[in-house]
Amino acid sequence: MNRSRSQKNVVIIGSGIGGLATALQLFKKGFHPLILEKNSFTGGKMNRRSIQDCTFDTGPSLLTMPFLLEQLFQTIENKPLSEFLNLLPIDPICRYFFDDESSFDAFTNRDALREELQRFSPQSNKPFFAYLQHSEKVYTATKDVFLFNKFDGFLEFFKPKNFSLLPQLPSLKFSQKFHDFNASYFNDKRLVQLFDRFATYNGSSPYLAPATLMVIPFIEFHYGGWYPKGGMYSLAETLTTLVNSYSIPLHTNEAVSEIVYKNGKVRGVVSEKGTLYPADIVVSNVDFHHTQKYILKRDVALPKDLSCSGFSLLLRMKKQPSGKLLHHTIVFSSDYKQEFDDIFENKILPNDMTIYISNTSFTDKSQAGEGTENWFILVNAPAIEVKDKSLQNNYAKLILKKLEDRGILRKEDVLNIEIRDQSTFQQESGATFGALYGSSSNSMFSAFLRPKNQDKLLKNLYYVGGSTHPGGGIPLVVLSSMIVSNMISSHYST
Ligand SMILES: Cc1cc2nc3c(=O)[nH]c(=O)nc-3n(C[C@H](O)[C@H](O)[C@H](O)COP(=O)(O)OP(=O)(O)OC[C@H]3O[C@@H](n4cnc5c(N)ncnc54)[C@H](O)[C@@H]3O)c2cc1C
């Protein structure tokens, strides 16, 4: 017989955004959650570093789909998000610099966007909006199946509630590559590159991933890009404060080394310190592959299709007079195909890399001093084991040289520099080889093969977070926590 929820102990392994959000939702549903976190801090990939007067978000820097956070705080607190976080709209979302020295400001305001397109590439005005219209249709048709609910893979197509999706399958373009789809809309190669870049939002290559990723630019242009005042880490801080306010036990510096199970049922977890935590339900917020191999001790192979990782620089900069950068800026490589071949096939750091710069001091003066700016630089990198750390400095120099050649930075203005690579991300969050989003979408079947939220063999073991359904990135991780909390609560009696 089921015990009531109020007696159910849930151990949550990991305090990433998915772990924290799940703990809070389960608590509100009457469960007894306990969080075990290996780090001394919460937030996982969402992390913060300070260098003198500058503060850096070292993980996510762009927030999309803010309505999901709104929904999360309504569920947990029954209060609007604005009582907890001051979300600022970032418009233009991003400034793009192309190889031919031209630049494009991606506005979400439709009139401003139209005007900017008229200046930049007048012939692309019509196809740009036609693209967003098509991708909106695809998003609307697919979101409930692929994002907002528990997902049973190919079985979804046999569920009567999803029959209406069948006639729309051709418009999803599963079998077309994302790059080819983008190239079919735009004659201007620069806009193809701009749209191709959205494949990196889940760590994929536009030359391998299916055109279904077209929903990502729709989401960005439709829902906008947002920034919580005080930095992205404010979200992790706010969730942690709520966890503490409800006295949900949260043990930091407590790595879980084993999930204990018997007769097809999880019984609890053991920490590296040797403590046994009995549990009725376990939720792992740790990278799916890491959980399988190192915590469940299953004999599993390394995933072949890991998403990309990152190579990042934290630059404390002398304040720049040029005004070239916005809050988010991209400096594109000259050969995008080669760049992705290097990352996913050759598995090397690309020589000619696309450089992302987040300068949050552009929007939020609290993030840097009077005469300084906080540049977080991120370059896509292969998810591999870093064997030779000595190459790091040279690669950092190459990035700085490119920015200098493009007139974006003067070396003498770099006051401090800190390098972070794949091994940093792996060590900080347990992500396999630093893969930022679990597995990639580099195949037309990726969405179907992504790890589900419940273990196949151990039915009281659940998975939440960016390496599981529905995917990586803060909005999807929040969705993942909603899906898992609902699965658990509907499975156990009140
Ligand atoms: C550089 C970078 C840039 C990104 N940019 C964006 C962006 O702009 N927008 C966006 O939406 N997303 C972005 N992301 C992705 C986003 O940060 C992640 O998808 C999200 O934060 C993952 O959350 P999660 O819940 O899966 O947990 P994770 O952040 O993966 O946390 C897992 C937690 O588990 C803990 N853990 C691991 N092993 C153990 C163990 N054995 N015992 C106990 N605890 C353990 C870890 O310490 C960690 O705290 C970025 C990520 C990175 C790294």
Side-chain angles (χ1 to χ4, degrees):
M1 202 177 71
N2 272 337
R3 283 191 289 153
S4 76
R5 279 178 197 177
S6 59
Q7 293 167 300
K8 296 276 180 210
N9 291 320
V10 187
V11 169
I12 297 175
I13 313 172
S15 69
I17 296 304
L20 294 169
T22 305
L24 286 162
Q25 288 169 87
L26 287 179
F27 177 79
K28 283 287 158 166
K29 288 174 190 286
F31 292 86
H32 277 190
L34 155 78
I35 308 173
L36 301 175
E37 166 57 55
K38 81 170 172 62
N39 290 335
S40 58
F41 57 89
T42 57
K45 294 186 185 83
M46 185 179 276
N47 194 3
R48 175 191 276 163
R49 281 274 300 133
S50 290
I51 303 178
Q52 296 183 29
D53 55 359
C54 286
T55 309
F56 299 85
D57 276 309
T58 60
S61 53
L62 172 75
L63 184 67
T64 53
M65 302 171 98
F67 64 91
L68 290 171
L69 283 186
E70 191 74 59
Q71 203 179 316
L72 178 69
F73 281 87
Q74 280 294 348
T75 309
I76 301 170
E77 287 292 288
N78 203 16
K79 284 183 186 160
L81 175 62
S82 56
E83 288 200 18
F84 303 90
L85 286 174
N86 181 5
L87 282 197
L88 305 173
I90 305 296
D91 199 10
I93 292 192
C94 188
R95 172 168 290 170
Y96 294 91
F97 286 106
F98 297 89
D99 193 40
D100 64 359
E101 312 258 303
S102 64
S103 71
F104 177 77
D105 286 354
F107 289 90
T108 49
N109 175 291
R110 287 295 154 115
D111 292 336
L113 177 60
R114 243 183 219 105
E115 221 173 276
E116 178 68 349
L117 277 165
Q118 206 52 38
R119 176 194 70 78
F120 178 74
S121 180
Q123 80 278 14
S124 305
N125 222 320
K126 245 182 150 171
F128 199 103
F129 291 99
Y131 185 113
L132 294 183
Q133 225 174 8
H134 180 91
S135 51
E136 175 171 14
K137 276 195 197 129
V138 173
Y139 171 76
T140 310
T142 56
K143 68 181 171 41
D144 288 332
V145 180
F146 287 95
L147 297 180
F148 284 69
N149 289 295
K150 163 178 182 276
F151 188 65
D152 289 325
F154 293 105
L155 287 180
E156 290 296 333
F157 292 123
F158 297 98
K159 294 182 181 169
K161 71 178 169 76
N162 295 331
F163 284 171
S164 61
L165 189 60
L166 296 177
Q168 306 194 52
L169 284 182
S171 69
L172 311 190
K173 310 272 180 200
F174 273 120
S175 57
Q176 190 176 18
K177 301 289 181 223
F178 188 43
H179 169 79
D180 295 338
F181 178 77
N182 295 335
S184 74
Y185 266 84
F186 301 107
N187 292 325
D188 189 329
K189 286 203 170 84
R190 298 170 302 172
L191 285 170
V192 177
Q193 189 169 26
L194 189 152
F195 275 83
D196 277 359
R197 179 183 163 252
F198 287 101
T200 65
Y201 278 36
N202 67 11
S204 308
S205 160
Y207 302 94
L208 300 170
T212 329
L213 296 197
M214 69 176 93
V215 299
I216 302 175
F218 162 71
I219 287 169
E220 176 156 310
F221 282 103
H222 186 76
Y223 294 109
W226 299 81
Y227 165 82
K229 195 160 172 13
M232 293 288 289
Y233 192 70
S234 319
L235 172 60
E237 259 175 350
T238 305
L239 294 177
T240 307
T241 304
L242 286 177
V243 162
N244 291 333
S245 75
Y246 291 122
S247 304
I248 297 173
L250 163 61
H251 300 197
T252 48
N253 296 311
E254 188 82 356
V256 169
S257 54
E258 196 180 341
I259 293 174
V260 185
Y261 54 90
K262 204 174 161 193
N263 300 333
K265 251 191 118 186
V266 165
R267 308 288 160 160
V269 307
V270 179
S271 77
E272 272 178 9
K273 293 174 185 161
T275 311
L276 169 70
Y277 293 90
D280 298 299
I281 302 155
V282 170
V283 180
S284 178
N285 177 221
V286 184
D287 176 273
F288 182 79
H289 175 74
H290 187 97
T291 306
Q292 299 296 303
K293 190 160 174 68
Y294 299 105
I295 307 184
L296 277 166
K297 326 271 182 208
R298 285 178 176 161
D299 185 17
V300 289
L302 194 66
K304 285 194 199 84
D305 57 348
L306 283 175
S307 62
C308 68
S309 182
F311 184 96
S312 136
L313 305 177
L314 309 183
L315 300 184
R316 178 172 167 263
M317 296 285 297
K318 209 165 165 186
K319 201 168 182 59
Q320 299 294 293
S322 74
K324 269 201 159 182
L325 297 194
L326 299 181
H327 186 113
H328 303 286
T329 305
I330 286 282
V331 182
F332 271 123
S333 62
S334 55
D335 187 344
Y336 221 26
K337 173 80 169 69
Q338 183 61 52
E339 184 178 350
F340 284 98
D341 283 351
D342 282 347
I343 295 167
F344 289 101
E345 278 163 40
N346 307 327
K347 299 203 184 288
I348 54 171
L349 290 166
N351 254 333
D352 177 15
M353 71 299 274
T354 293
I355 304 170
Y356 164 72
I357 308 162
S358 165
N359 171 24
T360 61
S361 65
F362 181 86
T363 310
D364 186 350
K365 301 293 171 226
S366 74
Q367 300 298 289
E370 267 294 296
T372 55
E373 292 181 356
N374 62 338
W375 291 20
F376 164 78
I377 293 199
L378 184 64
V379 164
N380 294 319
I384 49 169
E385 191 182 354
V386 179
K387 292 196 175 125
D388 188 356
K389 283 257 180 200
S390 68
L391 299 175
Q392 278 188 344
N393 284 337
N394 286 343
Y395 199 62
K397 278 186 197 146
L398 204 62
I399 295 172
L400 295 183
K401 164 116 182 37
K402 177 162 175 176
L403 291 177
E404 196 168 35
D405 290 348
R406 300 289 289 269
I408 288 174
L409 153 155
R410 291 186 316 175
K411 268 199 206 124
E412 58 270 31
D413 291 341
V414 180
L415 302 173
N416 298 79
I417 177 164
E418 189 176 300
I419 303 176
R420 299 161 62 80
D421 68 7
Q422 297 97 318
S423 62
T424 323
F425 297 121
Q426 168 152 8
Q427 184 241 318
E428 275 183 3
S429 70
T432 306
F433 294 153
L436 301 184
Y437 305 91
S439 50
S440 71
S441 296
N442 283 346
S443 122
M444 63 187 274
F445 302 116
S446 302
F448 298 94
L449 301 175
R450 204 169 181 82
K452 311 286 178 287
N453 302 104
Q454 188 175 24
D455 194 75
K456 281 190 188 131
L457 303 173
L458 304 165
K459 295 298 175 200
N460 57 341
L461 172 60
Y462 294 83
Y463 302 103
V464 70
S467 59
T468 68
H469 173 71
I474 299 307
L476 300 198
V477 165
V478 168
L479 270 176
S480 177
S481 75
M482 292 170 175
I483 294 169
V484 167
S485 310
N486 289 336
M487 282 170 78
I488 293 175
S489 69
S490 63
H491 194 268
Y492 293 88
S493 63
T494 49

